[in-house]
Amino acid sequence: MKKILLTSLLWMLVACNESSSHDKLIKLLTTTHSWTATTQMLGEAWAQGTVPDHYAQETLKKSQAEIAKATQDLTPPPLVSELQQTLQEITTNIEQQNKTALASSLHQLSIEQQQLETLAQAEGVHL
Amino acid sequence: MSKILEVALGILTSIGGFLDVGAIATAAEAGSSFKFQLLWVILLGTICVIFLVEMSGRLAAVSKHTLADAVRERFGFNFYILPLLAEVIVDFLVLGAEIGGVCIALQLVTGISFQWWAIPVSFAIWLMLWKGNFSLIENGVSFLGLVTLAFVVATFKLRPSLPAVAQGLLPTIPHQDTTHYLFIAVSILGALISPYLFYFYSSGAVEDKWDKDILGVNRAVAGLGMGFGSIVSMAVLIVAALVLNPKGIQVDSYEQAALMLTQPFGYWGFILFAASLGIACFGACLEITLDTAYIVAQAFGWNWGENLHPQEAARFSFVYTIFVFLAALLMVFGIDPLQLTLFSMALTAVILPITIIPFLVLMNDPKYVGEYKNGWMSNSVVIFTIALAFIIAIFAIPLEIIGG
């Protein structure tokens, strides 16, 4: 995880040499943070039986689509790709009604979110 | 006693009918992005709309004219065409957003995409207008809209810090995301001070044959009804601030907003959100569709009235029939409902001066309102709020679009 964090930080330092690229990066970080937070809350709600299956699946698809849209015209940092992978795992867990695997994926997502916040802070972005 | 009942009924229907897709979307986005910082905008917008709604009822009761009719008569048809066109265009976009709100509510509950619901929902709206009467539309759906009080109950359950909430009632400008903050502020004002609201109110007052004896009731309903109704809107913002903001969720879609009530109410919170969104938006759909038919019919001097049989007001009925199905197409073609809502609310703020200035002239013209002219306070509050909304809108909207 530390390697991914360092690689992402280095990538961002190299990538951020134009203000428009910087704005796109800020948008990517903000969007990714918001939608991963949504996924976190959604996953916990689904595990408690608070939201129906179809809504959970639809919202997860939306999360992935929104993050993918934010990465257009921009090579996403490795951490964002990791997050997208975790989102896909959560989607599979919910489709398979596997609450045990979901708990593990949500824990992983929580760690990645904290790393995202650290990256954003390094960029001067308040999430 | 009957006046007390009238006031009570008016207040209840105002509370139940206060929320619509614009109020829900803007309050949810405001709370999730800026916590309590935009509460003052809801307060400001509410004060302005109280004055405007009261003025609208007063004009109808004293002059026996609807607002649209009075503007056309006072300023001529050639002038009236401008606010009419502006209002019809904005009504079209807002109606599309409201239909979207109903469709999203149905999508949340059934899992069937909102695009599939657009035509059935527009048909239901049309059927209610075709078969129903004014009382059913004004009161029936608004009573069902009392389900939105779930947000007020949620606020009590979540126990916000009262000093923090109170601080939100004072105007502030954040140092970060200022453009987005101003855009949401303008959208809130556009959502609250929707011209369709007071055009519709004046038409309804004429349909109900108001006279000068009703002026006290009108004042009470406008003040207390809108005042209590705004508490529901503030409750949406506070719940979003307490549930979504701490988690870092910024509402960019209704799917995110739907999680708001799950923390205080569990599974029923999800259902209550969908019910609140669906019912509130359905009621607004009826009002906006009727309002468009009212202002077009009144502009051209056609027969109009929801209490008339459709055959007795054929062109009036034709307008609302065509309008509701055309607006539904915005959802059929998959336009994002939340983005359409925010944009149409901001656009509403831009057209406010065109619709409000003639209104203010009428309210100061003794030929229409006799001794019941506006006082300095009514004029001052309305002019200040409209000017503020317009100025912010012409700067914030382009910046928001550029910023993506």
Side-chain angles (χ1 to χ4, degrees):
Chain A
M1 278 302 131
K2 274 188 185 171
K3 271 189 187 172
I4 292 169
L5 192 65
L6 278 168
T7 315
S8 300
L9 193 55
L10 275 170
W11 176 90
M12 280 167 52
L13 286 169
V14 170
C16 294
N17 57 2
E18 285 181 28
S19 62
S20 62
S21 296
H22 185 72
D23 291 340
K24 283 179 189 170
L25 182 66
I26 292 172
K27 180 137 175 77
L28 171 62
L29 293 174
T30 314
T31 302
T32 306
H33 186 263
S34 177
W35 281 101
T36 51
T38 305
T39 305
Q40 187 77 34
M41 185 173 179
L42 175 73
E44 288 162 6
W46 180 83
Q48 289 162 11
T50 306
V51 296
D53 292 349
H54 63 77
Y55 163 75
Q57 285 161 12
E58 196 53 48
T59 308
L60 283 166
K61 261 190 236 166
K62 183 112 186 175
S63 296
Q64 290 173 302
E66 289 296 319
I67 294 172
K69 197 164 78 173
T71 62
Q72 276 173 8
D73 305 324
L74 191 70
T75 309
L79 182 57
V80 173
S81 305
E82 290 281 325
L83 276 163
Q84 286 177 303
Q85 239 178 312
T86 310
L87 253 66
Q88 185 53 49
E89 281 170 20
I90 291 170
T91 307
T92 309
N93 296 151
I94 289 178
E95 276 169 10
Q96 293 172 352
Q97 305 274 311
N98 190 338
K99 288 188 182 176
T100 313
L102 175 67
S104 170
S105 299
L106 287 176
H107 178 68
Q108 176 64 22
L109 187 70
S110 168
I111 294 169
E112 286 164 356
Q113 248 188 303
Q114 282 168 16
Q115 290 170 349
L116 187 71
E117 283 162 16
T118 308
L119 273 176
Q121 260 179 354
E123 265 313 294
V125 177
H126 174 70
L127 292 177
Chain B
M1 192 56 153
S2 70
K3 278 211 173 145
I4 294 173
L5 280 174
E6 274 189 73
V7 170
L9 180 68
I11 291 170
L12 280 175
T13 53
S14 293
I15 294 169
F18 193 89
L19 279 195
D20 64 357
V21 79
I24 294 172
T26 55
E29 173 124 3
S32 68
S33 300
F34 295 102
K35 242 177 165 338
F36 305 124
Q37 286 185 73
L38 282 158
L39 275 172
W40 67 273
V41 184
I42 297 179
L43 181 64
L44 179 65
T46 302
I47 293 169
C48 186
V49 88
I50 286 172
F51 279 104
L52 286 168
V53 166
E54 188 279 330
M55 280 160 46
S56 174
R58 186 165 19 115
L59 175 72
V62 175
S63 72
K64 310 290 187 209
H65 282 70
T66 65
L67 175 55
D69 194 33
V71 171
R72 183 182 57 85
E73 186 183 88
R74 173 74 169 72
F75 297 97
F77 183 80
N78 287 345
F79 170 85
Y80 180 57
I81 234 11
L82 187 61
L84 175 68
L85 273 177
E87 183 59 20
V88 168
I89 290 167
V90 169
D91 272 358
F92 176 73
L93 296 174
V94 174
L95 180 59
E98 301 285 355
I99 291 172
V102 182
C103 296
I104 288 289
L106 291 166
Q107 177 183 296
L108 288 173
V109 172
T110 65
I112 298 169
S113 169
F114 72 92
Q115 289 169 265
W116 291 105
W117 287 109
I119 298 296
V121 165
S122 61
F123 180 76
I125 295 163
W126 172 82
L127 192 65
M128 221 168 140
L129 292 175
W130 191 266
K131 294 285 186 192
N133 58 37
F134 188 78
S135 180
L136 176 69
I137 282 153
E138 189 186 32
N139 299 325
V141 182
S142 293
F143 270 114
L144 290 175
L146 289 171
V147 72
T148 56
L149 288 170
F151 287 100
V152 180
V153 176
T155 300
F156 280 104
K157 285 195 87 173
L158 291 166
R159 296 171 189 260
S161 155
L162 291 180
V165 170
Q167 210 168 4
L169 294 169
L170 299 171
T172 52
I173 302 282
H175 299 298
Q176 274 189 316
D177 288 335
T178 312
T179 308
H180 191 51
Y181 177 90
L182 291 174
F183 181 76
I184 298 176
V186 152
S187 299
I188 290 173
L189 289 173
L192 289 171
I193 315 172
S194 296
Y196 84 79
L197 191 63
F198 34 94
Y199 275 112
F200 179 82
Y201 193 79
S202 75
S203 296
V206 171
E207 286 235 48
D208 283 343
K209 298 180 180 15
W210 282 14
D211 57 29
K212 290 173 195 175
D213 291 339
I214 209 90
L215 289 179
V217 170
N218 173 52
R219 199 169 294 133
V221 168
L224 295 173
M226 296 292 131
F228 283 123
S230 77
I231 290 172
V232 184
S233 190
M234 288 187 190
V236 176
L237 186 151
I238 292 170
V239 172
L242 293 172
V243 174
L244 303 179
N245 178 276
K247 293 178 168 60
I249 299 172
Q250 291 189 10
V251 172
D252 285 321
S253 82
Y254 287 111
E255 285 87 348
Q256 291 170 304
L259 290 166
M260 259 200 277
L261 291 178
T262 58
Q263 190 168 311
F265 297 123
Y267 177 74
W268 285 106
F270 180 80
I271 299 297
L272 281 168
F273 179 86
S276 297
L277 182 67
I279 293 169
C281 293
F282 192 81
C285 285
L286 293 170
E287 285 189 14
I288 297 168
T289 312
L290 253 189
D291 171 63
T292 308
Y294 280 144
I295 61 176
V296 171
Q298 287 158 21
F300 292 101
W302 300 338
N303 266 4
W304 60 270
E306 178 55 14
N307 288 333
L308 296 178
H309 195 276
Q311 282 172 348
E312 293 173 302
R315 285 174 289 191
F316 168 78
S317 310
F318 178 74
V319 169
Y320 70 63
T321 301
I322 292 295
F323 198 71
V324 72
F325 285 110
L326 280 179
L329 292 178
L330 291 172
M331 290 302 112
V332 171
F333 293 140
I335 291 178
D336 185 287
L338 186 69
Q339 298 312 316
L340 177 62
T341 301
L342 295 172
F343 180 72
S344 61
M345 294 303 126
L347 199 60
T348 301
V350 174
I351 70 153
L352 279 175
I354 307 169
T355 49
I356 304 269
I357 290 169
F359 189 8
L360 276 181
V361 171
L362 287 167
M363 294 312 296
N364 289 280
D365 188 340
K367 283 191 206 144
Y368 285 87
V369 289
E371 58 179 319
Y372 300 100
K373 286 194 313 178
N374 266 7
W376 67 269
M377 196 181 282
S378 301
N379 291 331
S380 306
V381 166
V382 172
I383 290 169
F384 171 74
T385 311
I386 300 316
L388 183 69
F390 180 73
I391 290 166
I392 299 174
I394 56 172
F395 287 109
I397 294 174
L399 285 172
E400 183 75 3
I401 291 169
I402 292 164

